[in-house]
Amino acid sequence: SLMKWFMIVFLVLLIACDQDTTTSSDIRTDWEAGSGELSDHIGSSDVDLFLSIPFSQEFFYDQQQLAELTGYQAPTGEWFAHNGQGMLGYTISNGNLLPGAFIELGFHLDQEEKLQFNHKVRIQLVELDSTLEPIEIIDEKLIEVEQIEPSYTTLYQSQLPEQENKIYLLSAEILAENGKVEDTLLGLMLVPAQELNAQLSLDQASYQSDEQAKLQIENFGPTTIFLGMHYQIEQKIDDKWWEVPLDLAFIEIAIILSPGDKHEQIIELTDLGPGHYRVVKQISAEGIADLTTLLGAEFTIE
């Protein structure tokens, strides 16, 4: 009868509605809570970079380039390990450091017997300007080294001034009897303001589920940013963020972004249904343990 047909349709619709409600409830109870309110940026894009020359992480270890830019004699490999020459390994402070950081310079000797050295070593700690020109010599020592012990020998230890946005150079010059420089070792140190200024963005505001998204992180400086490949995707349901349980695998590599650098990463969307989402990534300032934040870039799946 017509009434019986209407009852069947009503029951089918009721069951369908009840199934939808159960699915929505399962999302709320089975998914882990998301990261709360997040921004896609931290700080400002208008940052005064106190080092005016472009540089990468490798720049700190390029002794040849450091010598050219700072006016010191280039390394020769006569003593310090350089281009497969030199018997002295070394430790020298360099890279991004905190205000007042402890700094050190020392020799590594990989042999069982002492090395008869009989040389003077001139050590300087110099403050530089944004173009790596010297401003002033903060500390200078002339150390006479008769012999070098096997393993490690500490030659110099000190502490940087308690100031931000400063550039320093630690140098060791091995001198001959006539005062001529036989070899040079340099350590460039940056002490940026203790802040993060960065932006997380996507190449589109909305996608189809069969597309890939391109995620970009840009570092405005002055600190160097440290991050990995890991990210999580969260969905907004009833004005609350939930972590989508995806089976994601990531290569364990460290990504280091110097001020002004950008990094791009492909985000897979194939397991996402229609809805409002965001990609969440953690970034940290290199060398500053407590300067870490989460950023979130929002998008929609049509």
Side-chain angles (χ1 to χ4, degrees):
S1 66
L2 184 61
M3 179 61 70
K4 185 177 180 181
W5 183 83
F6 274 122
M7 286 296 293
I8 292 171
V9 172
F10 174 76
L11 287 171
V12 170
L13 290 174
L14 184 62
I15 291 170
C17 289
D18 184 60
Q19 286 175 337
D20 287 343
T21 303
T22 302
T23 302
S24 179
S25 176
D26 286 346
I27 289 175
R28 291 169 176 78
T29 57
D30 294 346
W31 291 14
E32 293 187 11
S35 307
E37 293 302 315
L38 294 178
S39 174
D40 63 356
H41 69 278
I42 183 172
S44 170
S45 61
D46 185 19
V47 179
D48 182 17
L49 298 181
F50 65 105
L51 181 59
S52 61
I53 63 171
F55 71 98
S56 63
Q57 197 67 16
E58 291 75 21
F59 175 72
F60 292 108
Y61 304 98
D62 191 335
Q63 292 287 315
Q64 189 75 34
Q65 188 176 19
L66 285 176
E68 292 174 3
L69 291 170
T70 57
Y72 280 79
Q73 178 179 297
T76 62
E78 184 172 345
W79 292 106
F80 296 118
H82 181 71
N83 290 340
Q85 297 180 310
M87 65 172 60
L88 293 179
Y90 53 83
T91 292
I92 187 167
S93 297
N94 64 6
N96 290 274
L97 300 177
L98 294 170
F102 171 85
I103 60 173
E104 182 175 3
L105 189 156
F107 297 156
H108 293 272
L109 182 60
D110 188 17
Q111 64 181 44
E112 295 182 357
E113 298 180 356
K114 298 177 182 179
L115 173 66
Q116 295 302 316
F117 191 64
N118 297 319
H119 280 73
K120 291 181 179 178
V121 182
R122 180 168 59 214
I123 297 175
Q124 292 181 326
L125 176 62
V126 182
E127 181 182 348
L128 308 178
D129 67 13
S130 62
T131 63
L132 301 187
E133 289 291 324
I135 295 176
E136 67 169 321
I137 296 176
I138 296 173
D139 191 16
E140 184 172 21
K141 296 185 182 302
L142 190 61
I143 302 172
E144 188 157 351
V145 182
E146 294 183 359
Q147 59 186 17
I148 299 175
E149 300 286 338
S151 188
Y152 182 68
T153 300
T154 301
L155 201 63
Y156 177 80
Q157 292 178 326
S158 187
Q159 193 171 9
L160 294 179
E162 294 281 353
Q163 294 176 296
E164 295 183 341
N165 285 346
K166 295 291 184 178
I167 307 169
Y168 303 100
L169 187 73
L170 181 59
S171 65
E173 297 171 294
I174 297 177
L175 307 179
E177 288 186 4
N178 59 5
K180 181 182 177 182
V181 177
E182 293 187 355
D183 208 352
T184 306
L185 177 65
L186 302 171
L188 183 68
M189 297 167 285
L190 307 184
V191 185
Q194 306 302 285
E195 60 187 43
L196 279 170
N197 296 283
Q199 173 85 39
L200 190 68
S201 61
L202 290 161
D203 60 333
Q204 296 176 198
S206 63
Y207 302 88
Q208 302 295 323
S209 60
D210 60 350
E211 291 185 289
Q212 290 181 325
K214 185 181 292 184
L215 184 72
Q216 177 180 275
I217 178 77
E218 182 172 5
N219 180 18
F220 301 119
T223 51
T224 295
I225 285 180
F226 175 87
L227 67 154
M229 295 296 291
H230 183 273
Y231 65 84
Q232 66 189 46
I233 293 182
E234 299 178 357
Q235 184 175 6
K236 196 171 191 179
I237 304 170
D238 294 342
D239 295 325
K240 185 173 181 180
W241 289 103
W242 298 87
E243 184 179 347
V244 182
L246 300 172
D247 187 17
L248 300 175
F250 302 98
I251 301 172
E252 294 295 332
I253 59 172
I255 301 163
I256 300 175
L257 295 183
S258 299
D261 283 354
K262 301 176 183 179
H263 173 74
E264 291 186 346
Q265 183 175 356
I266 297 298
I267 307 297
E268 297 292 342
L269 307 175
T270 52
D271 294 328
L272 303 179
H276 190 66
Y277 298 87
R278 67 183 179 188
V279 184
V280 176
K281 277 192 78 74
Q282 177 177 291
I283 64 171
S284 304
E286 188 200 14
I288 309 173
D290 57 351
L291 197 50
T292 298
T293 192
L294 290 175
L295 298 179
E298 298 184 23
F299 64 96
T300 300
I301 296 291
E302 300 294 344

